[in-house]
């Protein structure tokens, strides 16, 4: 069974997703006229406006923090270390590349999620790929497949991965038994999860900016004390990405492919561009300006912050150290801890343990919110069923803290890959709608107006988006 699962994962990532995700990123980058580069200043401006919301939904900033809470987790600290260990320094280049072109894909999925969002029984906005598959394409069966994959991945598998990383880090730093960490995580997660969507978004808004800033400040300090080595590290990344350092060694093709696969796989696991997960958070916002594309701009910035900023910080900590060697046998969160400990002393391992606690814990609660949205899409929203689901999620948190998870990581890769395939197909099919929404938004900006969404301007949107959200 393990061999079969590993073979499926290898097929998905080695022969399908590497090319599909790059193709999607390039497709939307070109069709949206290099929006992630040309409109970068506007992306920052929209972020400053994003704290303004209304009484009938959470703000764009809260939605941004919720999506960033799910993005910034194990992938940024343990995942980067795994990519470096398995793919070498060149994996970081491919991680950067998939993030830069993936920003356009993120714009597409988040904008569509806003356009096709609905209201739940409590008045909260809900949406995401499953919803634009049902309403925009009229293919509910695609939405069902996507929802099942997301619930498996984000409701169960990824939460086990997050709790496993927290438990491993605390065992190294404080020698705390895994079961004790697991119990604490279950209690803390349960309090927030049972509080509902708005509790999750408020928690993310408070914690995410603080944790990201603290981690970046430490990484900047390490770069500052090693500034003379930064050019050599950067060239090492570029040379490794294209096999220049292996020239003459007969392993160029294999080395480059490993770097590419690991960089793209771990990059997607971290920033989720094209996977469709962050779009579930994007749909919950009351955007400012009141147009679906404004949330697309906000979520593009989330991909940039996650990978170009935070993942690069972890890569710098490791590559500026002497810990990335075959002899050390270190990988995952232990490699990141050892690297920072080398730079700053014994408190480095403790700091990483605390950082991964914040990063992974916020990921657990944000991941749950994604799964809940898709459970509602499947119309399993009765109180008893939701209680069973929440208990099962918390059970996986406990299981992750206690268990060894190599097989779980592989299952995560497969479920994530299937999500991405279904979502990217839907994005291609709805690309015309994405382009129209982008042009409509920017045309209003150029005319000096506050961009406002009027679905009656687009016949397909007017006929397919759910009633009672965007219609006057």
């Amino acid at each position: 069974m393990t061999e079969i699962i590993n073979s499926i994962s290898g097929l998905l990532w080695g022969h399908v997703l590497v090319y599909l995700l790059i193709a999607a990123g390039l497709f939307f980058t070109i069709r949206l006229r290099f929006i992630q580069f040309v409109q970068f200043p506007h992306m920052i401006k929209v972020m400053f406006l994003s704290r303004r919301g209304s009484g009938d939904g959470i703000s764009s900033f809260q939605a941004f923090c919720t999506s960033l809470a799910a993005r910034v987790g194990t992938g940024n600290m343990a995942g980067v270390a795994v990519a470096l260990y398995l793919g070498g320094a060149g994996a970081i280049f491919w991680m950067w590349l998939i993030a830069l072109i993936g920003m356009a894909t993120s714009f597409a999925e988040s904008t569509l999620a806003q356009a096709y969002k609905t209201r739940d029984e409590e008045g909260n906005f809900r949406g995401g790929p499953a919803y634009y598959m049902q309403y925009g394409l009229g293919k509910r069966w695609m939405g069902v497949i996507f929802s099942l994959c997301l619930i498996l991945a984000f409701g169960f598998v990824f939460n086990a991965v997050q709790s496993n990383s927290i438990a491993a880090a605390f065992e190294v730093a404080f020698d705390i038994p895994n079961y004790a960490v697991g119990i604490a995580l279950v209690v803390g997660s349960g309090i927030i999860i049972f509080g509902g969507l708005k509790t999750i978004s408020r928690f993310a808004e408070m914690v995410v900016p603080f944790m990201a800033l603290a981690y970046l400040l430490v990484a900047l300090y390490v770069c500052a004390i090693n500034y003379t080595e930064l050019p050599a590290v950067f060239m090492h990344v570029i040379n490794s990405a294209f096999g220049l350092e292996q020239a003459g060694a007969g392993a160029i093709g294999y080395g480059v492919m490993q770097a590419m696969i690991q960089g793209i796989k771990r990059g997607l696991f971290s920033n989720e561009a094209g996977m469709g997960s962050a779009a579930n958070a994007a749909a919950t916002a009351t955007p400012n300006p009141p147009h679906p594309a404004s949330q697309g701009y906000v979520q593009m910035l989330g991909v940039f912050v996650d990978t170009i900023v935070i993942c690069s910080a972890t890569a710098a900590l490791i590559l500026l150290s002497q810990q990335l060697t075959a002899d050390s046998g270190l990988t995952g969160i232990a490699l990141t801890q050892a690297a920072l400990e080398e730079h700053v002393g014994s408190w480095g391992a403790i700091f990483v343990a605390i950082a991964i606690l914040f990063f992974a814990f916020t990921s657990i609660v944000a991941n749950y919110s994604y799964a809940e949205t898709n459970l509602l899409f499947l119309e399993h929203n009765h109180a008893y069923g939701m209680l069973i689901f929440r208990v099962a999620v918390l059970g996986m948190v406990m299981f992750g803290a206690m268990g060894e998870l190599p097989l779980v990581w592989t299952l995560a890769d497969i479920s994530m890959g299937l999500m991405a395939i279904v979502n990217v197909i839907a994005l291609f099919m709805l690309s015309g709608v994405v382009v129209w929404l982008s042009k409509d938004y920017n045309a209003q900006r150029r005319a000096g107006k506050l961009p406002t969404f009027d679905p009656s301007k687009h016949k397909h949107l007017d006929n397919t988006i759910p009633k009672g959200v965007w219609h006057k």
Side-chain angles (χ1 to χ4, degrees), residues 279-334:
N280 292 272
T284 63
T286 302
N288 184 38
H291 192 287
S294 67
Q295 185 59 206
Y297 281 106
V298 170
Q299 293 299 327
M300 272 204 301
L301 188 61
V303 175
F304 182 87
V305 171
D306 173 88
T307 305
I308 306 301
V309 179
I310 299 177
C311 284
S312 296
T314 300
L317 294 178
I318 295 171
L319 293 174
L320 287 168
S321 75
Q322 304 299 316
Q323 301 299 321
L324 188 62
T325 63
D327 295 337
S328 71
L330 293 174
T331 187
I333 196 64

Side-chain angles (χ1 to χ4, degrees), residues 357-373:
L357 171 64
F358 281 110
F359 283 7
F361 182 74
T362 52
S363 287
I364 289 171
V365 295
N367 288 348
Y368 166 78
S369 72
Y370 293 173
E372 181 181 271
T373 291

Side-chain angles (χ1 to χ4, degrees), residues 36 64 72 91 122 195 309 383 468 471:
Q36 66 269 52
F64 168 78
V72 180
E122 297 177 356
V309 179
H471 292 95

Side-chain angles (χ1 to χ4, degrees), residues 103-118:
M103 289 171 70
T105 313
S106 180
F107 175 89
E109 62 190 4
S110 298
T111 299
L112 287 173
Q114 264 290 317
Y116 290 99
K117 66 186 180 183
T118 64

Side-chain angles (χ1 to χ4, degrees), residues 48-374:
F48 280 108
L49 297 173
S50 66
R51 294 186 69 90
R52 305 175 193 171
S54 67
D56 60 352
I58 68 174
S59 70
S60 287
F61 185 73
Q62 288 176 319
F64 168 78
C65 288
T66 302
S67 66
L68 198 60
R71 286 184 173 119
V72 180
T74 300
N76 296 79
M77 303 181 76
V80 171
V82 170
L84 286 169
Y85 182 79
L86 296 177
I92 302 305
F93 172 84
W94 298 106
M95 195 176 284
W96 291 336
L97 179 65
I98 199 64
L100 288 174
I101 64 174
M103 289 171 70
T105 313
S106 180
F107 175 89
E109 62 190 4
S110 298
T111 299
L112 287 173
Q114 264 290 317
Y116 290 99
K117 66 186 180 183
T118 64
R119 288 186 187 273
D120 64 16
E121 294 178 353
E122 297 177 356
N124 298 314
F125 290 131
R126 300 279 185 174
Y131 293 78
Y132 56 69
M133 289 168 192
Q134 172 172 328
Y135 295 108
L137 294 175
K139 301 184 185 299
R140 180 172 171 81
W141 62 268
M142 284 183 71
V144 170
I145 292 173
F146 179 87
S147 293
L148 291 173
C149 289
L150 186 142
I151 291 168
L152 172 64
F154 283 81
F156 300 112
V157 179
F158 286 174
N159 282 342
V161 171
Q162 303 291 355
S163 62
N164 183 263
S165 292
I166 296 173
F170 268 67
E171 186 176 27
V172 171
F174 305 108
D175 198 27
I176 298 177
N178 290 350
Y179 72 86
V181 176
I183 292 172
L185 289 175
V186 167
V187 172
S189 301
I191 291 171
I192 299 170
I193 284 172
F194 279 89
L197 180 62
K198 290 187 177 180
T199 301
I200 292 171
S201 64
R202 285 194 295 267
F203 175 77
E205 183 182 25
M206 290 187 297
V207 175
V208 169
F210 165 76
M211 72 181 188
L213 182 61
Y215 187 66
L216 290 176
L217 287 175
V218 171
L220 285 173
Y221 169 74
V222 171
C223 290
I225 63 176
N226 295 282
Y227 73 94
T228 57
E229 299 177 38
L230 289 175
V233 167
F234 179 77
M235 290 308 302
H236 179 43
V237 169
I238 301 301
N239 291 337
S240 297
F242 296 98
L244 300 180
E245 293 180 347
Q246 295 93 349
I252 298 178
Y254 177 78
V256 170
M257 184 56 68
Q258 278 296 102
M260 184 184 298
I261 291 173
Q262 291 302 324
I264 292 175
K265 184 191 296 186
R266 297 277 74 89
L268 177 63
F269 179 83
S270 180
N271 65 53
E272 303 174 15
M275 197 194 306
S277 50
N280 292 272
T284 63
T286 302
N288 184 38
H291 192 287
S294 67
Q295 185 59 206
Y297 281 106
V298 170
Q299 293 299 327
M300 272 204 301
L301 188 61
V303 175
F304 182 87
V305 171
D306 173 88
T307 305
I308 306 301
V309 179
I310 299 177
C311 284
S312 296
T314 300
L317 294 178
I318 295 171
L319 293 174
L320 287 168
S321 75
Q322 304 299 316
Q323 301 299 321
L324 188 62
T325 63
D327 295 337
S328 71
L330 293 174
T331 187
I333 196 64
L335 175 56
T336 307
Q337 285 180 296
L340 186 57
E341 196 168 14
E342 178 184 321
H343 293 300
V344 300
S346 58
W347 66 268
I350 297 173
F351 177 83
V352 170
I354 295 173
I356 197 67
L357 171 64
F358 281 110
F359 283 7
F361 182 74
T362 52
S363 287
I364 289 171
V365 295
N367 288 348
Y368 166 78
S369 72
Y370 293 173
E372 181 181 271
T373 291
N374 284 269

